[in-house]
Amino acid sequence: MSDGINLEHQVSELFRLKMEEFVKWCEENWTVTPEEAMRDKIFDQKPPGYREGYNAAMENLSGAFDCWMEEQNDRSS
């Protein structure tokens, strides 16, 4: 077997890349504009600022993912 093959690292790297793509997609597609919130009645029952907080969560998924990956790396070390 070749010394250059590290399947565990390659799978981890592929997972990281695909999750970064997913996070970016969420940030771009799951934020809610004021117009969308007015059309979507789900926000009618929410407290003031809910949409802004929801959007902040979507816009900061990359930071959350980075922290999670760091924690996973620390656990496996």
Side-chain angles (χ1 to χ4, degrees):
M1 198 138 141
S2 172
D3 290 333
I5 295 176
N6 183 337
L7 189 56
E8 181 179 356
H9 173 73
Q10 291 172 330
V11 169
S12 294
E13 185 64 15
L14 178 61
F15 172 77
R16 184 186 62 77
L17 291 171
K18 290 300 176 183
M19 285 302 298
E20 286 175 352
E21 287 177 22
F22 174 70
V23 164
K24 183 175 170 67
W25 179 85
C26 286
E27 291 171 347
E28 293 172 354
N29 295 285
W30 277 41
T31 56
V32 180
T33 66
E35 296 78 20
E36 290 170 330
M38 289 176 68
R39 286 191 309 266
D40 189 347
K41 300 300 180 200
I42 195 168
F43 291 97
D44 290 353
Q45 303 294 323
K46 304 299 181 191
Y50 181 88
R51 183 188 66 83
E52 291 81 2
Y54 173 86
N55 283 345
M58 289 297 112
E59 292 163 355
N60 290 293
L61 279 176
S62 60
F65 177 68
D66 289 343
C67 287
W68 183 77
M69 285 297 291
E70 186 176 308
E71 185 178 298
Q72 299 308 305
N73 289 335
D74 290 346
R75 285 182 183 175
S76 66
S77 298

